[in-house]
Amino acid sequence: MIFRAAVTSLFVLISVCLGAQAQDIEAGKKKAEACVACHGAGAHAAGIAPDLRESAIALDRENFRSVVQGGALLQKGMPRFDTLSDEDIRQIHAYIR
């Protein structure tokens, strides 16, 4: 009985997490529209900037945040988007990954 309750709780938790992930991905897709000009539709390279799906920086959300929000690559031409919230960054990152 305890095992069944634990398994049921685990399935509920996984469902909630996957639902939240799907919501983040959809929200991130809308928020990433500004990225299209340089990184291409769907984050596929547009010739100006790298393909974000293949970028090592985009593998880690903190590294991604430091570039997008913090301006870590300003010298290489990547603009800083310091008006994006941490939630925005999480959602855009979820969309890219």
Side-chain angles (χ1 to χ4, degrees):
M1 189 63 104
I2 293 173
F3 178 74
R4 184 181 300 188
V7 169
T8 301
S9 295
L10 181 61
F11 281 123
V12 169
L13 179 62
I14 290 170
S15 296
V16 168
C17 289
L18 291 176
Q21 176 82 12
Q23 290 173 348
D24 279 350
I25 291 168
E26 189 58 36
K29 181 178 182 179
K30 292 175 184 167
K31 293 176 182 180
E33 289 175 359
C35 308
V36 171
C38 296
H39 292 284
H44 303 192
I48 299 171
D51 186 326
L52 295 178
R53 299 166 306 139
E54 301 295 327
S55 171
I57 291 169
L59 291 176
D60 178 74
R61 187 169 55 206
E62 184 54 34
N63 287 339
F64 181 72
R65 188 207 60 74
S66 73
V67 170
V68 176
Q69 194 179 45
L73 294 178
L74 278 171
Q75 299 83 1
K76 294 188 176 189
M78 171 66 192
R80 175 185 306 148
F81 294 91
D82 55 2
T83 58
L84 292 173
S85 69
D86 289 338
E87 179 181 40
D88 295 334
I89 295 294
R90 185 188 77 246
Q91 292 170 336
I92 294 168
H93 185 259
Y95 169 64
I96 292 167
R97 297 310 323 146

